[in-house]
Amino acid sequence: MVKEKPNSTRCYDADGYRRRAACICVRSEAEDEVLLVSSSGASECWIVPGGGVEPEEQPATTAVREVIEEAGVVGRLGRRLGVFENDERKHRTEVFVMLVTEELPEWEDSRAIGRRRKWFSVDEALKQLSLHKPVQVEYLESLACSPRDSQVVDDQFTATIPRDHLTPAGDNPVQTDVT
């Protein structure tokens, strides 16, 4: 099912849950630091970057697109951590791990809404998320429990993101390698 919303189209699964995707962005393969972004609704709250799956879009593509839009980072998409259900908001979010390879000096949401990003230790990120996003705590808990070589996204996958998501005046597409 698809529902129109200003500036986006919401997709729902057969059970009526909104389809979403997100990334746990890590600074290194040690996976001991994660990137959170300020919430668009409450800038003092920190959240995992993610958003709605668009029609005809694969969740891995959504995850990469949302990370660029919300966090202004690019990197290598790694394993799939699973699908996490939020019964209260009727969302199902497919979550991936991304090893960040580049932090952009400015990005779409930093310009449009003043969104910020910040690196946290896993323990501090768990504390931050537990204040406002308890479902997202489950994402991070699964990071520690998930074997690093499990459920790796297809090595052939690449996501093409329009350059205007990255810089104010660019016109070349950027390919984000997803391994």
Side-chain angles (χ1 to χ4, degrees), residues 22-35 49 63-64 67-68 71-81 95-103 119 143 148 152-153 175-179:
C23 276
I24 299 295
C25 297
V26 297
R27 184 173 265 180
S28 73
E29 291 184 15
E31 298 183 355
D32 54 359
E33 288 182 280
V34 298
L35 188 71
V64 170
V67 165
I68 292 172
V73 298
V74 293
R76 291 193 320 268
L77 196 64
R79 69 193 182 280
R80 177 182 174 271
L81 294 176
V95 180
F96 301 87
V97 177
M98 176 182 278
L99 176 62
V100 173
T101 57
E102 181 181 1
E103 294 181 44
W119 290 102
L143 179 70
R148 293 188 184 168
V152 174
V153 176
Q175 286 196 332
T176 301
D177 189 26
V178 182
T179 57

Side-chain angles (χ1 to χ4, degrees), residues 145-157:
C145 300
S146 167
R148 293 188 184 168
D149 59 353
S150 70
Q151 298 177 325
V152 174
V153 176
D154 184 357
D155 288 341
Q156 301 304 310
F157 178 85

Side-chain angles (χ1 to χ4, degrees), residues 58-124:
Q58 293 299 312
T61 304
T62 301
V64 170
R65 176 178 52 77
E66 289 291 339
V67 165
I68 292 172
E69 290 173 4
E70 293 187 358
V73 298
V74 293
R76 291 193 320 268
L77 196 64
R79 69 193 182 280
R80 177 182 174 271
L81 294 176
V83 177
F84 298 83
E85 201 167 279
N86 182 333
D87 288 325
E88 182 180 317
R89 301 203 54 181
K90 298 273 298 176
H91 291 169
R92 285 191 179 129
T93 304
E94 195 159 340
V95 180
F96 301 87
V97 177
M98 176 182 278
L99 176 62
V100 173
T101 57
E102 181 181 1
E103 294 181 44
L104 304 170
E106 69 173 24
W107 62 99
E108 183 177 336
D109 280 5
S110 72
R111 291 187 306 269
I113 62 172
R115 193 182 300 264
R116 298 170 293 130
R117 64 181 174 219
K118 184 176 176 182
W119 290 102
F120 291 90
S121 69
V122 171
D123 287 342
E124 185 57 32

